[in-house]
Amino acid sequence: MFIKYKSLSLLLLAALCIPLACKTSLDTQPLQLDPEVRMGKLPNGFTYYIRKNKTPEKRVMMYLASKVGSILETDQQRGVAHFVEHMSFNGTKHFPKKELSDYLEKSGVRFGADINANTGLDETVYQLPLPSDNPELLANGLQIMRDWAQDANIEAADVERERHVILEEKRFRQGLTQRLQEKSIPFYTNNSRYGSRFPIGTEEVLLKVTPEEIRSFYKDWYRPDLQAVLVVGDVDVDQMEKDIKAKFSDLRNPEKEKERPVYRATLTGKNQYMQFIDEELGGISMEITKKELADTIITAADYRTSLLKKLLAELVSIRFRRLPIVGFNQLTGGLNSFSVNLTTKPAETEQGLKSIWLELRRMEEQGFTKSELERVKKAHQYQTEEALKEKDKTASEVLIRPYLQHFLTGNVAPGIIKEAELTTSLLPDVTLDEINALMKNYMKATDRDIIVKSSEYNKAFLPDEATVLKWIESVYTQSLPPFEEDNLDLPLLKNEPAPGKINTVETVKQVDLQKITLSNGLTVLLKKTDFQNDQILIKGLAEGGTSLYSDADFESALNAASIVAAAGAGNYDALQLGKFMTGRKVQLSPFIVDQYQGFNGSTTKEDLPAALELLHAYFTEPRKDEESYQTLLGRTKEQLMNKEDGRSQVFMDTVGLVLGNYHVRKKPQSISRLDGIKLDRAIEIYKERFADASAFTFLFVGNIEEARIKPLLEKYLGSLPSKRKNETIRDLGINVPSGRISKTVYKGTEQKSSVVLAYSGAFDYNFENTIKMNAIADALKISLTQRLRDQEGGTYTPNVQMNLSKYPKTRFAMLVSFDCAPKNVESLIASVQDELRKMKTSGPSAENLQKFKAVRKVGLETGARNNEFWLDYLASQVMNKEPLTQFFEYDAALNGITIKSVQQAAATYIQDKNYVKLVLMPEKTNP
């Protein structure tokens, strides 16, 4: 009998495959693809993925993915893969010229925001979100995908026009980030092909490449054995599969098929050092990166390895108070990294690095504690369970991404049900020894890259490789006190709340909302939805903000909420709060901005009490902590160091200052201004802003259980202090100045200009006028894209932004912005003004007005089933003191907008007498 029981135990262990008890062939068996998705492959090699998903309803997300990127280009083709992507929008077999974008925009699909594509090093992906309840549009969506796959026209005239657009896109991307990438990617990929194949290409190729050369690349690589269509949304899977087979089966592979090589960066085992000097850098920045080969997750064993790394990443993040100092990142070329990042004043780099490395040494030598590991395991398990609860309410745009990676990289996409099973079975047996051993591995000084960065001005302060290594080595000679665990036995609140009462409950039937007034005067709006299974969004707001304080107190007021959030509340500091809340989904943070103070947050039905308790703590028991304040201040100063000399930042600072009428509060943020923050005054201001609950309206949107939430509202909100002061926003007169103003900023050497044009003034704020003004902005953006980008090839992305305010004064400000070549600034401004003249004299074209209405109606349809939309909408209505039911009037009001009414609004408000022209130019312009 004993032998039989022993055999049975072994069989059970083998069946369960407990990681520490056994190692079976199951570890090496590939995990199965999510059973919710139907995957197939056509005889020509074309792959498809189809999944039915009803979030959002009556919508579908389509991707066309090709394993074709810039890595496949020859030296003479650099930029052609990206060129092909652009040409796919310039005309296909069934949608010649610009008919494709016109057709989709008339259906409410926005070019750029919705319909888009991306060319990477290894892949090109086209995305197309569509209504799924329109059979014609759905069928044409597939036809568009089919055309992109093999039937782009690539006509000579279109190539010549698009050549200039791509060159402007290349110009648009110029800047510090691009310059750093050009130096750092070849460096950390060990001079692999990835360092010489940036998708944007070279100017030489872009200027000279012929239509024939583009077509040749397209024919070589856009082929069915390298392509897949992915369809996730509210569709009939059987019918969609039939349609895909009918539409894509006739795709043909080339007769002389080129082998698709697979490139990867390799590890050398050597360490490297590099200096990066750039005029736009301030301070000293250092990045120390330990590289490793990226994992491909195929088996349960791979999944477990990935799980270990996620847990370690979370443990390290918590030790560094979640500051972005040390992190695990994905690099290009099949590499991942464990990296240390710091930015300091020139004289403080040594101490900054040593303080970080001392904590890393503590993790390396002493490891983590059992309680730390148990907390992150608990949190990970909880996150998985929350995702499982929302499995039938997860958005299609989220679900489609793992399937895309499955096709492109081979990474497993088992689905949330299987992932939850894996997590539940694997997580308990992850040991502290494994985690600590993994940390030790990341601290090994092999395949470690060091990049130090600064300007020529600070070059003398840059440490060489030997100096950096000496600093690190010296850390290991210091004494190392043991890590001290926090005591988390106390309750969150120091004082138990004395509950208030619900005074009134009003039902707003049309919005399916309850308006509750508590005994302390606080107002609560409850909107119960079923859009997510276990989500409750929270927003609280009251008038006042920084506007109620003097200019001398402005910085202290503006930063007060961040200072408190960094310090914590109740019995715990911010780091302890994170630990205390482990296993609960509670996100909550206070804010104080120009005109309001309040809270933003989210939670679940189960964790709502904890969220409200935390809210009460921030209201009544904020903490003051000198150490967290200095850490926050230091980190903010570090971030500023890299911005102060950047030409784009200097220009945007100027834009903010001029459009803010040179008000002291609109001056660029600086270290000297941060030094003006007074900790005691900031805490005092914070307490003042949250001293009167009667001023607040709190919004709760989500799957609310009314019977459960009301006692919680009485306890945690009804108990808040109330002064009934009836404070309102103070008008500081910070408006876009009237008159005609022109200012040019000369900065840097890049041959790139930026332009901001502003029109502003008083505005008759009412429901209909707000729609007309938005119609002006949207229609103008369409016409400017057609003219400045498509016709003139002068810019990559013209933008139009309409800002409308009702309080403290009814005003509007319309901003038109674009980047371009310095020589084209005046001609493009003239084109903008000509399009504005047309808007004021003739109104938008019927086609562009139709596109505006279509996009807005789609937004209404999708927004009506979205918690975030309702939270933002209700908050806007509260702030503007507008009816909560206005949403249901929008469609009719939208239908009533005409070309004439939009034209009249443009003629009335867009006046040349109030015109600000701001331009960024290089210090020297090349001929």
Side-chain angles (χ1 to χ4, degrees):
M1 290 295 293
F2 176 77
I3 295 175
K4 289 183 179 180
Y5 276 118
K6 183 177 180 181
S7 300
L8 179 59
S9 299
L10 290 173
L11 287 171
L12 284 170
L13 286 173
L16 291 170
C17 193
I18 297 173
L20 295 181
C22 66
K23 183 78 173 179
T24 74
S25 60
L26 289 176
D27 288 330
T28 58
Q29 291 298 312
L31 292 168
Q32 297 300 304
L33 182 64
D34 184 356
E36 295 288 327
V37 68
R38 183 176 299 179
M39 176 187 172
K41 191 180 285 280
L42 303 180
N44 56 12
F46 188 84
T47 306
Y48 61 84
Y49 299 76
I50 313 167
R51 173 170 178 171
K52 183 172 183 62
N53 183 55
K54 300 193 73 171
T55 302
E57 291 183 348
K58 301 177 183 179
R59 303 289 295 176
V60 62
M61 176 64 77
M62 294 183 178
Y63 280 5
L64 175 73
S66 295
K67 297 178 182 178
V68 180
S70 56
I71 202 72
L72 297 178
E73 297 166 349
T74 64
D75 288 341
Q76 292 72 39
Q77 293 176 325
R78 291 175 61 187
V80 173
H82 179 237
F83 214 130
V84 168
E85 176 215 307
H86 273 247
M87 294 311 301
S88 295
F89 292 95
N90 274 272
T92 65
K93 180 178 180 179
H94 293 90
F95 297 91
K97 301 300 179 183
K98 287 293 182 179
E99 287 184 19
L100 188 151
S101 58
D102 285 342
Y103 171 74
L104 291 171
E105 285 178 337
K106 288 176 185 176
S107 303
V109 182
R110 298 166 298 172
F111 180 76
D114 296 320
I115 177 177
N116 211 332
N118 176 69
T119 302
L121 286 149
D122 288 299
E123 74 287 326
T124 303
V125 181
Y126 300 82
Q127 67 178 48
L128 181 57
L130 291 172
S132 61
D133 59 344
N134 183 329
E136 178 189 342
L137 194 56
L138 193 61
N140 280 331
L142 273 185
Q143 185 62 63
I144 290 167
M145 291 281 174
R146 168 63 178 79
D147 280 11
W148 282 338
Q150 210 160 69
D151 283 328
N153 287 340
I154 313 182
E155 296 178 355
D158 297 328
V159 167
E160 196 57 38
R161 184 175 58 249
E162 200 65 24
R163 188 192 309 277
H164 299 289
V165 174
I166 296 172
L167 286 166
E168 287 306 316
E169 181 179 355
K170 183 176 176 64
R171 188 190 311 278
F172 173 78
R173 297 182 187 280
Q174 287 178 356
L176 174 61
T177 300
Q178 170 258 338
R179 293 194 295 273
L180 178 58
Q181 286 179 343
E182 288 182 352
K183 294 288 187 181
S184 63
I185 293 179
F187 173 74
Y188 71 68
T189 61
N190 300 319
N191 293 312
S192 76
R193 191 180 181 90
Y194 285 88
S196 63
R197 288 297 182 275
F198 296 99
I200 195 63
T202 66
E203 188 168 333
E204 180 183 10
V205 171
L206 295 175
L207 282 169
K208 296 180 180 180
V209 66
T210 66
E212 290 75 18
E213 290 171 321
I214 298 171
R215 290 189 204 108
S216 175
F217 184 90
Y218 183 62
K219 291 176 181 177
D220 281 343
W221 299 116
Y222 272 61
R223 62 196 206 209
D225 63 331
L226 298 178
Q227 292 176 322
V229 66
L230 302 93
V231 181
V232 178
D234 197 357
V235 295
D236 181 320
V237 174
D238 292 334
Q239 184 60 50
M240 180 57 66
E241 184 176 38
K242 291 177 184 177
D243 294 340
I244 288 173
K245 289 179 177 179
K247 191 67 69 178
F248 293 89
S249 291
D250 64 345
L251 289 172
R252 294 288 180 265
N253 290 298
E255 290 185 10
K256 295 182 179 179
E257 188 175 299
K258 290 186 176 181
E259 181 183 355
R260 201 295 193 193
V262 176
Y263 299 98
R264 286 290 179 269
T266 58
L267 297 177
T268 64
K270 298 179 181 178
N271 299 327
Q272 302 181 106
Y273 171 88
M274 182 184 86
Q275 289 189 359
F276 177 73
I277 309 298
D278 193 281
E279 62 180 4
E280 291 192 19
L281 286 168
I284 305 290
S285 294
M286 184 182 300
E287 181 178 342
I288 302 178
T289 299
K290 161 74 174 178
K291 299 179 299 193
E292 66 174 355
L293 296 178
D295 299 317
T296 301
I297 303 173
I298 298 174
T299 68
D302 298 333
Y303 194 91
R304 188 176 190 278
T305 299
S306 173
L307 181 60
L308 287 172
K309 292 179 179 180
K310 287 178 182 177
L311 295 174
L312 177 61
E314 182 68 4
L315 286 163
V316 173
S317 177
I318 292 171
R319 282 284 186 98
F320 282 101
R321 295 181 175 269
R322 299 195 183 282
L323 294 172
I325 298 172
V326 178
F328 294 77
N329 303 293
Q330 184 176 357
L331 303 176
T332 194
L335 298 177
N336 286 343
S337 73
F338 172 69
S339 60
V340 174
N341 297 275
L342 72 154
T343 301
T344 69
K345 293 178 181 178
E348 298 176 0
T349 308
E350 178 180 0
Q351 185 55 43
L353 178 61
K354 285 182 176 180
S355 65
I356 294 171
W357 215 270
L358 186 65
E359 187 58 45
L360 288 172
R361 179 192 164 201
R362 192 196 312 277
M363 298 178 213
E364 177 186 7
E365 294 182 0
Q366 298 179 355
F368 299 93
T369 66
K370 184 177 181 180
S371 58
E372 283 182 292
L373 178 58
E374 289 307 310
R375 273 196 298 272
V376 297
K377 287 165 73 170
K378 181 179 178 182
H380 190 84
Q381 180 70 49
Y382 181 84
Q383 291 167 3
T384 303
E385 290 170 356
E386 283 299 306
L388 188 61
K389 288 179 184 177
E390 300 290 354
K391 66 181 177 63
D392 61 327
K393 298 290 179 70
T394 305
S396 297
E397 63 179 343
V398 174
L399 291 176
I400 201 170
R401 293 170 197 157
Y403 307 145
L404 176 65
Q405 291 307 308
H406 181 266
F407 173 71
L408 293 174
T409 67
N411 269 329
V412 70
I416 185 57
I417 294 176
K418 183 61 178 178
E419 289 202 50
E421 290 177 3
L422 287 166
T423 299
T424 301
S425 65
L426 297 174
L427 200 58
D429 295 302
V430 171
T431 68
L432 193 59
D433 286 345
E434 289 178 290
I435 293 292
N436 289 337
L438 190 58
M439 184 67 205
K440 288 179 183 293
N441 184 62
Y442 279 116
M443 294 297 292
K444 290 179 180 178
T446 54
D447 290 304
R448 180 191 284 173
D449 294 344
I450 300 173
I451 303 178
V452 290
K453 300 168 278 187
S454 194
S455 63
E456 190 71 38
Y457 178 78
N458 289 320
K459 187 175 181 180
F461 291 94
L462 291 183
D464 58 20
E465 183 177 15
T467 300
V468 175
L469 295 177
K470 182 181 177 182
W471 290 348
I472 292 173
E473 289 167 6
S474 71
V475 171
Y476 290 87
T477 65
Q478 299 180 34
S479 61
L480 187 65
F483 176 74
E484 294 184 7
E485 273 280 37
D486 292 312
N487 179 10
L488 303 176
D489 294 333
L490 294 172
L492 172 57
L493 291 171
K494 296 177 181 178
N495 301 298
E496 185 70 13
K501 294 292 183 182
I502 291 176
N503 278 356
T504 62
V505 179
E506 174 190 348
T507 300
V508 185
K509 290 184 178 180
Q510 193 173 10
V511 194
D512 192 20
L513 174 149
Q514 284 192 351
K515 183 177 182 180
I516 297 172
T517 304
L518 296 170
S519 53
N520 57 358
L522 185 147
T523 302
V524 177
L525 301 181
L526 300 180
K527 180 167 177 61
K528 179 177 173 58
T529 73
D530 60 359
F531 309 147
Q532 300 292 148
N533 293 326
D534 198 22
Q535 180 189 64
I536 299 174
L537 303 182
I538 305 169
K539 180 181 280 291
L541 51 93
E543 291 187 20
T546 64
S547 75
L548 301 184
Y549 294 90
S550 68
D551 292 341
D553 279 337
F554 173 64
E555 286 295 333
S556 295
L558 186 64
N559 291 279
S562 297
I563 290 169
V564 168
N571 281 312
Y572 296 112
D573 65 29
L575 186 61
Q576 292 167 339
L577 266 178
K579 297 175 182 178
F580 184 78
M581 289 291 178
T582 297
R584 301 169 185 160
K585 190 171 184 180
V586 174
Q587 294 180 328
L588 189 78
S589 58
F591 67 82
I592 300 175
V593 291
D594 291 347
Q595 297 176 343
Y596 296 90
Q597 63 271 352
F599 291 89
N600 290 311
S602 64
T603 188
T604 64
K605 290 184 289 186
E606 181 181 350
D607 296 327
L608 180 61
L612 289 175
E613 185 179 22
L614 180 59
L615 192 156
H616 188 97
Y618 274 129
F619 239 106
T620 63
E621 298 178 1
R623 292 169 65 102
K624 174 188 170 183
D625 187 292
E626 180 73 33
E627 182 181 355
S628 69
Y629 165 67
Q630 293 297 339
T631 300
L632 176 65
L633 195 63
R635 187 65 187 172
T636 306
K637 288 179 178 180
E638 288 174 9
Q639 292 170 349
L640 276 175
M641 288 176 191
N642 271 350
K643 292 182 178 178
E644 289 182 333
D645 295 329
R647 69 189 302 262
S648 296
Q649 187 63 44
V650 168
F651 178 61
M652 292 316 298
D653 287 344
T654 303
V655 170
L657 191 58
V658 173
L659 297 186
N661 207 7
Y662 290 90
H663 195 282
V664 65
R665 301 190 183 205
K666 294 300 179 181
K667 287 184 177 180
Q669 185 59 276
S670 64
I671 290 176
S672 62
R673 285 185 64 181
L674 290 173
D675 286 337
I677 299 173
K678 302 294 187 289
L679 176 58
D680 287 341
R681 182 58 178 144
I683 299 298
E684 182 181 15
I685 289 171
Y686 179 90
K687 290 179 178 179
E688 290 172 356
R689 288 300 83 227
F690 294 95
D692 186 6
S694 68
F696 279 81
T697 298
F698 272 89
L699 315 171
F700 294 83
V701 177
N703 201 347
I704 298 163
E705 296 174 349
E706 293 178 14
R708 188 169 183 231
I709 194 174
K710 288 180 179 178
L712 296 173
L713 297 177
E714 290 180 321
K715 179 177 180 179
Y716 293 112
L717 298 188
S719 58
L720 295 173
S722 176
K723 296 186 177 181
R724 301 184 188 269
K725 294 175 65 175
N726 296 316
E727 290 179 320
T728 58
I729 299 163
R730 183 164 69 102
D731 184 5
L732 300 177
I734 305 176
N735 302 309
V736 179
S738 58
R740 292 180 64 84
I741 299 170
S742 179
K743 184 175 181 61
T744 301
V745 175
Y746 295 91
K747 180 73 174 174
T749 58
E750 287 173 9
Q751 295 302 296
K752 178 173 78 171
S753 288
S754 297
V755 176
V756 174
L757 309 175
Y759 296 83
S760 66
F763 171 58
D764 181 12
Y765 193 104
N766 62 49
F767 186 40
E768 186 176 338
N769 279 347
T770 61
I771 299 176
K772 292 175 187 175
M773 296 298 277
N774 285 320
I776 292 170
D778 285 19
L780 183 62
K781 185 180 189 309
I782 295 169
S783 65
L784 291 181
T785 299
Q786 292 168 340
R787 180 163 177 175
L788 273 62
R789 173 186 164 123
D790 298 339
Q791 295 175 20
E792 299 177 7
T795 186
Y796 176 55
T797 53
N799 285 300
V800 181
Q801 179 181 338
M802 182 68 74
N803 299 318
L804 304 173
S805 64
K806 187 176 181 182
Y807 297 104
K809 287 182 180 176
T810 56
R811 292 186 60 83
F812 86 95
M814 185 178 77
L815 308 182
V816 178
S817 59
F818 56 87
D819 292 340
C820 64
K823 66 179 181 180
N824 292 333
V825 166
E826 293 305 323
S827 64
L828 291 176
I829 289 176
S831 294
V832 170
Q833 292 173 330
D834 187 46
E835 290 302 314
L836 264 175
R837 179 191 59 78
K838 293 176 185 177
M839 184 71 70
K840 292 192 288 185
T841 57
S842 306
S845 68
E847 186 177 81
N848 287 351
L849 185 60
Q850 179 188 346
K851 291 177 180 178
F852 162 74
K853 290 184 178 182
V855 166
R856 294 291 165 141
K857 288 184 177 182
V858 167
L860 287 176
E861 292 170 4
T862 55
R865 300 286 302 170
N866 182 276
N867 287 335
E868 286 82 2
F869 172 88
W870 277 107
L871 187 77
D872 291 343
Y873 164 76
L874 292 171
S876 175
Q877 298 305 101
V878 169
M879 288 189 289
N880 289 319
K881 300 177 175 63
E882 293 285 319
L884 299 179
T885 57
Q886 207 169 64
F887 171 83
F888 300 96
E889 303 168 16
Y890 196 93
D891 195 60
L894 194 62
N895 290 334
I897 300 298
T898 65
I899 293 173
K900 183 65 175 176
S901 67
V902 175
Q903 176 267 315
Q904 289 174 338
T908 300
Y909 296 114
I910 314 297
Q911 297 289 335
D912 290 338
K913 65 181 181 180
N914 291 330
Y915 167 65
V916 180
K917 169 186 166 185
L918 302 168
V919 179
L920 172 64
M921 295 285 282
E923 293 167 11
K924 292 183 180 181
T925 304
N926 293 343

